[in-house]
Amino acid sequence: MAATDDATVVAVPPFTEALRAWLKIGLISFGGPAGQIAMMHRILVDEKKWIDEQRYLTGLNFCMLLPGPEAMQLATYIGWRMHGVKGGLAAGLLFVLPGAALMLALALAYAAFGTVPLAEALFVGVKAAVLAIVVEALLRVAKRALKGQTDWLIAAAAFIAIFCFGVPFPVIILAAAIFGFLRTRSATNPPPNLAISHPVPLASTLRTIAIWLAIWILPLLGVAWVFGPDHVLSQLAWFFSKLAVVTFGGAYAVLAYMAQEVVQDFGWLKPGEMLDALGLAETTPGPLILVTQFVGTLAAWREGGGSPVVMGILGALVTLWATFAPCFLWIFAGAPYVERLHNAPKLKSALAAITAAVVGVILNLTVWFALHVLFAKVDDTVIGPLHLHLPDLSTLNPVAAVLSALAFVLLFAFHRAIVTTLAVCGTLAVAWLWMGAGA
């Protein structure tokens, strides 16, 4: 049930009014988690005054501790505080569904027409812009996360582990969490207006967990029963359910791990297509983790059998369910305990260490992106325990290099929006194709 104390909610709106606000947020939630969190703060805290500053920040800290898209989970948490479970469902679903519908249309179009020269040229520009966007994300996260020498060392160790030795992303996150939990941090008293809420009955929490585990898992078990455990839809259900548990740090951080599995192990996509997926996610509203929907659509389109369109839609639905159903489990089970985070310094320390490790993982992603954007051939080289990605320098793509440089200028010098940068680079790439065809 929603909390309604005065310190939490300044003015609880009617549910219909909240629905309109959540739909508006879902339609304009561009710019990744940083932009989405800032936009929700402006609407919900500053303009509508539905939740106060301290509660908003406390909810954000809680959501950053969870796997999954923090902005979507923050919306779910605030919706829960105002109107209980129905409010959380409305906020979370409306945050995701507009972008998911658009992403499905784009992924189906990509699956059908993605190899035509015009589309290939467009995505050269998109990839070039995404490279600059990822660098900007790296710098933004690093500035927020790396507060001291220890954090810098954690980030460096994470980068070396994943880039040089191929250590899986979940292992890095687990190691960082254990280190942070064991690291000594002095306890602090909670702010006076965040007194610990009344104890939550354990039976209530266990009931919530059981209900949402069933909602998450049973439909996916049904998919495996209908199509068989070896079908691509069943593989998608298992893979993205596993991914939902380890997606700390959002889409940028998990993409390197996901690409390793999707490209190298399953063979569902090519390396360049992962860049295209992120480029599409950048141009649509909603969580960037919708990049997983693109993967599910293409994998089922290509390997599902039967009608490619039907299978692509089913792949998208299975992936969405496996990715986002767990988010409601985390929020509805953990929300009653949110204010206790201020009296749990070890949990806060674990979160800080995870965030520092994510910086190293995003740096790895940045290097991985740069190599595959700028060079047509990147070799996987094994030297003893080292697993390195080394480019063939003779395969440098000059168009991608020029457009990447332009994207950096647009983002860092002129501070243009992400969508503007993507549009400019994509348009110039298409124009370059036309000029080449006319020459």
Side-chain angles (χ1 to χ4, degrees):
M1 60 183 296
T4 57
D5 53 280
D6 292 337
T8 303
V9 179
V10 178
V12 178
F15 184 62
T16 53
E17 183 180 350
L19 278 178
R20 290 192 295 270
W22 293 124
L23 178 59
K24 174 185 176 182
I25 288 171
L27 291 171
I28 65 172
S29 56
F30 294 93
Q36 292 160 357
I37 290 167
M39 178 265 297
M40 283 195 292
H41 183 278
R42 184 177 69 250
I43 293 175
L44 302 176
V45 178
D46 296 337
E47 296 178 5
K48 297 187 177 295
K49 303 186 185 302
W50 287 347
I51 185 169
D52 64 49
E53 175 84 17
Q54 188 60 63
R55 294 290 182 183
Y56 185 89
L57 295 178
T58 301
L60 176 59
N61 289 338
F62 167 63
C63 293
M64 290 182 64
L65 186 62
L66 302 173
E70 59 266 35
M72 174 265 182
Q73 291 177 143
L74 178 59
T76 304
Y77 169 73
I78 296 173
W80 173 86
R81 291 210 65 89
M82 294 192 299
H83 295 107
V85 171
K86 71 174 183 180
L89 282 171
L93 290 174
L94 289 175
F95 193 91
V96 171
L97 290 180
L102 183 54
M103 176 61 79
L104 175 60
L106 292 173
L108 291 174
Y110 183 96
F113 308 112
T115 57
V116 300
L118 179 62
E120 289 181 341
L122 174 64
F123 281 105
V124 167
V126 169
K127 293 172 191 176
V130 167
L131 176 57
I133 291 166
V134 171
V135 171
E136 185 185 46
L138 169 66
L139 297 177
R140 184 174 61 243
V141 173
K143 182 178 180 180
R144 182 183 65 193
L146 305 182
K147 302 298 185 182
Q149 183 179 21
T150 302
D151 293 333
W152 281 93
L153 291 174
I154 293 172
F159 171 74
I160 292 171
I162 195 169
F163 181 79
C164 298
F165 297 98
V167 177
F169 174 69
V171 174
I172 293 173
I173 291 300
L174 178 62
I178 293 173
F179 175 82
F181 188 83
L182 297 177
R183 182 170 50 166
T184 302
R185 288 283 181 92
S186 59
T188 57
N189 294 324
N193 68 326
L194 284 180
I196 299 303
S197 56
H198 296 296
V200 180
L202 178 60
S204 175
T205 300
L206 293 177
R207 182 169 60 251
T208 299
I209 292 173
I211 290 172
W212 281 96
L213 270 177
I215 292 173
W216 171 18
I217 298 298
L218 290 181
L220 301 180
L221 290 177
V223 170
W225 180 74
V226 171
F227 292 94
D230 295 328
H231 193 273
V232 65
L233 292 178
S234 303
Q235 292 177 333
L236 288 170
W238 162 245
F239 176 69
F240 285 108
S241 291
K242 178 178 66 173
L243 203 69
V245 180
V246 298
T247 50
F248 297 94
Y252 287 125
V254 80
L255 191 61
Y257 167 65
M258 184 172 68
Q260 177 184 342
E261 297 286 329
V262 168
V263 175
Q264 298 178 13
D265 296 343
F266 289 104
W268 289 334
L269 273 72
K270 301 174 183 177
E273 292 175 333
M274 288 300 304
L275 303 179
D276 296 341
L278 186 58
L280 289 177
E282 290 281 7
T283 62
T284 56
L288 289 179
I289 203 67
L290 284 173
V291 66
T292 60
Q293 182 189 355
F294 180 94
V295 173
T297 303
L298 262 65
W301 174 288
R302 293 168 176 173
E303 301 188 17
S307 168
V309 174
V310 172
M311 280 297 158
I313 293 172
L314 289 177
L317 293 176
V318 167
T319 303
L320 284 172
W321 195 272
T323 299
F324 291 103
C327 297
F328 294 105
L329 167 60
W330 315 143
I331 294 298
F332 293 150
Y337 301 91
V338 164
E339 292 157 18
R340 298 172 183 265
L341 278 177
H342 286 274
N343 274 4
K346 286 186 175 295
L347 287 179
K348 293 173 67 177
S349 180
L351 171 61
I354 288 173
T355 306
V358 163
V359 175
V361 174
I362 297 177
L363 176 58
N364 169 74
L365 172 63
T366 304
V367 175
W368 186 87
F369 267 13
L371 293 176
H372 286 90
V373 168
L374 299 177
F375 299 93
K377 183 179 180 182
V378 179
D379 297 318
D380 294 329
T381 305
V382 178
I383 307 174
L386 298 177
H387 295 256
L388 301 176
H389 303 284
L390 301 178
D392 182 344
L393 299 181
S394 65
T395 64
L396 176 67
N397 185 335
V399 177
V402 171
L403 292 178
S404 293
L406 173 63
F408 275 94
V409 171
L410 290 174
L411 282 174
F412 289 91
F414 294 100
H415 306 289
R416 298 305 182 194
I418 288 175
V419 173
T420 301
T421 303
L422 288 165
V424 169
C425 291
T427 301
L428 289 177
V430 172
W432 200 306
L433 171 69
W434 285 343
M435 287 188 296

